[in-house]
């Protein structure tokens, strides 16, 4: 069982930045692939970014603004979010999996790859 604890959410004005962190308590194999997803009220959960053996994957809407990284020593994944927009407002969830073949083959973070989820951290961007 992988425990994922997110932190770093908050409120920011449009154009601002936030950095989300997700600490994983698990054997490294269970977190070969880690990702960030988000869900706005009334919408489906969508993939934002994923990292799998050092390769990164992003949804088009955040490409160039968000950066995902993984500190292997700390087993922690980060999401640096710059140039935030009101449409980025959502609950952000960290996720982990032993492998991410669907993500790798599609080139986009794919929810079906992930079986372990954090509780979420709220990001609110005001205009």
């Amino acid at each position: 069982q992988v425990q994922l604890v997110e932190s770093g959410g908050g409120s920011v004005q449009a154009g601002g930045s936030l950095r989300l962190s997700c600490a994983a308590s698990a054997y490294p194999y269970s977190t070969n692939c880690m990702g960030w997803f988000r869900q706005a009220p009334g919408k489906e959960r969508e993939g934002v970014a994923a990292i799998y053996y050092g390769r990164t994957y992003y949804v088009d809407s955040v490409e160039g603004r968000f950066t995902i990284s993984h500190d292997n020593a700390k087993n922690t994944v980060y999401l640096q979010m710059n140039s935030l927009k009101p449409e980025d407002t959502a609950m952000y969830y960290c996720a982990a999996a032993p492998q991410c073949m669907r993500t790798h083959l599609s080139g986009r973070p794919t929810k079906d790859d992930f079986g372990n989820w954090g509780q979420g951290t709220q990001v609110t961007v005001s205009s």
Side-chain angles (χ1 to χ4, degrees):
Q1 185 72 16
V2 179
Q3 288 188 317
L4 303 170
V5 180
E6 302 107 330
S7 60
S11 297
V12 65
Q13 288 192 328
S17 299
L18 285 172
R19 189 176 84 150
L20 306 183
S21 300
C22 173
S25 298
Y27 291 112
Y29 170 75
S30 300
T31 56
N32 286 336
C33 184
M34 295 190 76
W36 288 95
F37 291 74
R38 66 187 179 188
Q39 188 167 18
K43 294 188 176 181
E44 289 193 4
R45 190 170 298 189
E46 69 164 349
V48 176
I51 185 165
Y52 185 34
Y53 287 114
R55 185 164 181 169
T56 58
Y57 309 83
Y58 297 95
V59 68
D60 288 346
S61 61
V62 308
E63 188 83 55
R65 300 188 298 122
F66 292 10
T67 302
I68 189 170
S69 60
H70 189 199
D71 185 329
N72 291 325
K74 296 180 179 180
N75 210 12
T76 298
V77 67
Y78 303 96
L79 185 68
Q80 177 66 45
M81 305 185 294
N82 298 328
S83 302
L84 282 160
K85 304 175 180 180
E87 51 263 43
D88 294 319
T89 296
M91 185 71 78
Y92 283 69
Y93 297 90
C94 175
Q99 58 87 14
C100 281
M101 286 312 298
R102 295 178 183 87
T103 294
H104 177 65
L105 293 173
S106 70
R108 297 290 182 265
T110 304
K111 189 171 54 175
D112 288 347
D113 275 333
F114 295 88
N116 295 284
W117 296 85
Q119 294 300 307
T121 184
Q122 178 68 36
V123 171
T124 302
V125 184
S126 58
S127 57

